[in-house]
Amino acid sequence: MAIKDFFQKKRKYATIPSEQSKREIPEGIMSKCPKCGTIQYSKELGKNLKVCTSCDYHNKLSAFERIEITMDDGRFFEFDRDMVSEDPLEFPDYVNKLTRSMESTGLRDAVVTGEGTIGGYPVIVAVMTADFFLGTLGSVVGEKITRAIETAIQKKYPLIIFSTSGGARTQESILSLMQMAKTSAALAKLDDAGGLYISIITEPTYGGVSASFAMLGDIIIAEPGARFGFAGRIVIEETIRQKLPEGFQTAEFNHKHGQLDKVVHRKELRSTLIKMLELHTVKPTKEASANG
């Protein structure tokens, strides 16, 4: 290349958006993948069930987003909608934090319970959400899940619980920990009654939830990459003073080591549930449905 061509060649420079142009972009229109950093339109990400089109990372879903993509036509009859915590231990600033969580999510606590159908099969469903207090397990969460289990026993419907949690709720101390025993005892009654319980683990599921109902399913499945365990990786490494294996506590690692029955992509989760219900339950006839 001649010297004159070198100086005549136009160089390409990256354009840095001005502060004015940044302000003109509506908030929430774009989303950045927490794993690979790919930026994509939030609407397109939603159409893909909030799964990154670049690296397949499964972003978190809210409780009602989960219900919308799982239940037939998104229809769902909610239980115990108005149940709220009364701050039994009078923990400092707990009421204010609860109020802020309610205002930001439109929920009363970290789980939504109710009934509907999946593939025409009636089911009782409990869906936890990380949007509310990081999905922590408190008295209301434990009570709502226990009531959902009891309804499954009464109606003889399969039970499905979607778990996500940061662990027990500190602000409720021992009352939070008691929910582990209460939900586990209720599940034992469901098992005695011959009921089906499918546990679905989503990102992330830790602490008291993983140590109780999340790991007590007749069938336990997880979304790809979902991390779960009792304590987090850093806490374990500092305790045992050893480096843990790559991918430790991910769904794939736990499946390889026998902790899970199956890892299921979000796009295949509904069809997988329908298949499980076909194998383990009987779809009610139209006459039976009409007679209640």
Side-chain angles (χ1 to χ4, degrees):
M1 182 174 66
I3 295 178
K4 64 177 183 178
D5 294 332
F6 177 82
F7 287 104
Q8 290 175 353
K9 187 177 179 63
K10 292 184 179 180
R11 296 183 180 181
K12 295 181 179 180
Y13 297 92
T15 302
I16 301 175
S18 65
E19 290 301 319
Q20 176 64 29
S21 64
K22 289 181 182 179
R23 286 194 294 268
E24 290 174 354
I25 299 175
E27 186 176 351
I29 197 171
M30 306 296 289
S31 297
K32 182 178 180 180
C33 177
K35 184 177 180 181
C36 70
T38 298
I39 298 175
Q40 50 198 309
Y41 284 107
S42 299
K43 185 178 290 187
E44 293 302 314
L45 183 64
K47 289 179 181 178
N48 203 43
L49 305 184
K50 286 196 171 181
V51 176
C52 179
T53 56
S54 179
C55 70
D56 215 39
Y57 175 77
H58 284 49
N59 287 275
K60 297 173 185 175
L61 293 174
S62 69
F64 285 105
E65 285 175 332
R66 179 78 64 181
I67 290 166
E68 177 67 27
I69 67 172
T70 305
M71 312 304 291
D72 291 345
D73 301 321
R75 290 179 296 181
F76 183 76
F77 177 76
E78 187 175 353
F79 300 155
D80 305 310
R81 178 179 176 80
D82 296 324
M83 188 180 294
V84 296
S85 175
E86 294 184 350
D87 187 20
L89 303 181
E90 299 181 356
F91 197 93
D93 202 39
Y94 183 36
V95 172
N96 290 332
K97 289 181 178 179
L98 281 174
T99 301
R100 288 196 293 271
S101 292
M102 291 178 193
E103 291 173 348
S104 63
T105 64
L107 302 175
R108 297 302 181 95
D109 218 295
V111 69
V112 175
T113 60
E115 69 176 277
T117 59
I118 300 177
Y121 294 91
V123 291
I124 302 298
V125 177
V127 185
M128 298 191 70
T129 178
D131 293 342
F132 194 105
F133 248 90
L134 298 178
T136 46
L137 175 62
S139 300
V140 169
V141 173
E143 179 64 18
K144 290 181 72 170
I145 289 177
T146 299
R147 291 189 184 193
I149 298 169
E150 291 171 345
T151 303
I153 296 172
Q154 177 189 356
K155 293 194 172 187
K156 298 182 179 180
Y157 287 174
L159 171 71
I160 300 172
I161 299 180
F162 291 87
S163 294
T164 181
S165 179
R169 189 169 299 177
T170 304
Q171 292 85 350
E172 295 189 20
S173 188
I174 189 64
L175 298 178
S176 174
L177 298 179
M178 287 170 61
Q179 307 311 310
M180 297 169 61
K182 183 166 72 175
T183 53
S184 298
L187 286 171
K189 292 181 179 179
L190 177 65
D191 184 60
D192 290 341
L196 173 67
Y197 167 35
I198 302 174
S199 175
I200 302 171
I201 294 171
T202 69
E203 163 73 10
T205 300
Y206 282 110
V209 170
S210 69
S212 56
F213 56 85
M215 295 305 296
L216 292 176
D218 298 303
I219 302 170
I220 306 174
I221 60 182
E223 290 189 330
R227 295 169 296 163
F228 70 94
F230 184 68
R233 183 189 186 101
I234 295 175
V235 173
I236 296 174
E237 287 184 336
E238 290 180 348
T239 301
I240 66 175
R241 300 185 185 282
Q242 293 181 28
K243 189 71 175 176
L244 293 169
E246 188 68 26
F248 179 73
Q249 291 188 327
T250 61
E252 293 75 12
F253 182 93
N254 281 297
H255 181 245
K256 181 180 178 180
H257 290 81
Q259 292 280 75
L260 289 172
D261 293 302
K262 195 174 182 64
V263 178
V264 182
H265 195 282
R266 187 173 292 168
K267 291 181 179 179
E268 301 171 357
L269 190 52
R270 176 177 152 84
S271 61
T272 299
L273 287 174
I274 293 173
K275 190 65 176 178
M276 290 178 177
L277 293 170
E278 286 177 350
L279 292 171
H280 294 281
T281 62
V282 178
K283 183 182 291 187
T285 63
K286 291 183 178 180
E287 291 79 7
S289 300
N291 293 328

